[in-house]
Amino acid sequence: MNELADTLHREINACTICAHHLPLGPRPVVQFSAKARILIIGQAPGTKVHKSGVPWDDDSGDRLRDWLGLTKDAFYDAQKVALMPMGFCYPGKAKGGDAPPRKECAPQWHDRILALLPKNRLTLLVGSYAQAQYLPQTRKTSLTDRVKNGEHISDALGPAIPLPHPSWRVRMWMGRNPWYENEVVPRLQKQIAKRLS
């Protein structure tokens, strides 16, 4: 890890900007290096990830890795993959599941992490919160249409690929949209393999 990335990691780990809103207290969960060729922007950690401190360390992560065709070793190699959620800490519960990611994180940290990453990276926007932030021009478009249309251009990121969030709820969506597993996933796996080769 280079010195700038190391310093930024320390600053993020010490962050308490929204501590009084967090029911389990702050525990930022993020992974990046100056060499990561793939950037995955997700939502916020759940309770299992908060406990382990490991991003995507849950069933959603297993499903995401399966979609990407990545082993755990490759996925958790910060020299290859950056994992930057919209909210770095567990936000608590809300009606129907976890609360939305805290709004303080992205403006506080995202630009600084993005500035460290290679410009020719592949960016994946996982879930509606990341897509609302980085593809605001698609807000009136359904998730299904965003994913089906493939790569979009983000003013802040350049080319970016929207994906559904891989929670248990996605199984019904995938059942209604078999093209996702049949067409999008194989194409995505080829792009990932090409970036990491």
Side-chain angles (χ1 to χ4, degrees):
M1 188 179 300
N2 74 18
E3 192 175 331
L4 283 175
D6 197 31
T7 299
L8 185 51
H9 267 284
R10 284 195 301 272
E11 289 182 42
I12 291 170
N13 287 336
C15 181
T16 58
I17 193 170
C18 60
H20 59 287
H21 294 290
L22 303 172
L24 301 181
R27 186 175 193 184
V29 180
V30 62
Q31 169 183 301
F32 60 89
S33 77
K35 294 183 178 179
R37 300 290 304 280
I38 295 167
L39 168 62
I40 300 171
I41 305 178
Q43 294 187 173
T47 53
K48 187 174 180 185
V49 170
H50 175 86
K51 185 175 181 181
S52 72
V54 178
W56 294 100
D57 181 27
D58 53 18
D59 292 341
S60 295
D62 291 339
R63 190 171 288 112
L64 179 61
R65 285 184 287 275
D66 187 51
W67 290 349
L68 304 181
L70 288 177
T71 64
K72 279 192 170 186
D73 285 345
F75 187 81
Y76 290 120
D77 183 344
Q79 301 302 309
K80 296 178 179 177
V81 179
L83 304 170
M84 182 178 77
M86 291 302 298
F88 292 0
C89 297
Y90 171 64
K93 288 286 181 194
K95 189 176 180 181
D98 289 342
R102 294 294 316 166
K103 294 185 177 181
E104 295 88 345
C105 277
Q108 181 73 18
W109 301 113
H110 277 202
D111 285 349
R112 292 180 65 191
I113 293 172
L114 291 172
L116 283 172
L117 299 175
K119 301 297 180 213
N120 62 342
R121 65 186 176 264
L122 175 65
T123 300
L124 309 177
L125 299 174
V126 181
S128 59
Y129 294 107
Q131 291 162 27
Q133 174 77 19
Y134 287 108
L135 297 175
Q137 72 274 21
T138 68
R139 280 193 185 152
K140 293 183 179 178
T141 306
S142 70
L143 170 76
T144 300
D145 286 339
R146 275 196 300 272
V147 173
K148 193 177 244 185
N149 290 336
E151 189 176 280
H152 296 257
I153 299 299
S154 163
D155 290 342
L157 304 171
I161 299 173
L163 299 176
H165 192 276
S167 72
W168 61 271
R169 293 180 182 91
V170 81
R171 288 180 292 194
M172 288 191 300
W173 180 87
M174 289 170 67
R176 293 191 305 271
N177 298 284
W179 51 266
Y180 179 72
E181 276 190 296
N182 297 334
E183 300 169 25
V184 175
V185 169
R187 188 167 64 238
L188 182 61
Q189 290 180 356
K190 285 181 184 175
Q191 289 177 284
I192 296 283
K194 184 177 179 182
R195 292 292 173 138
L196 297 183
S197 64

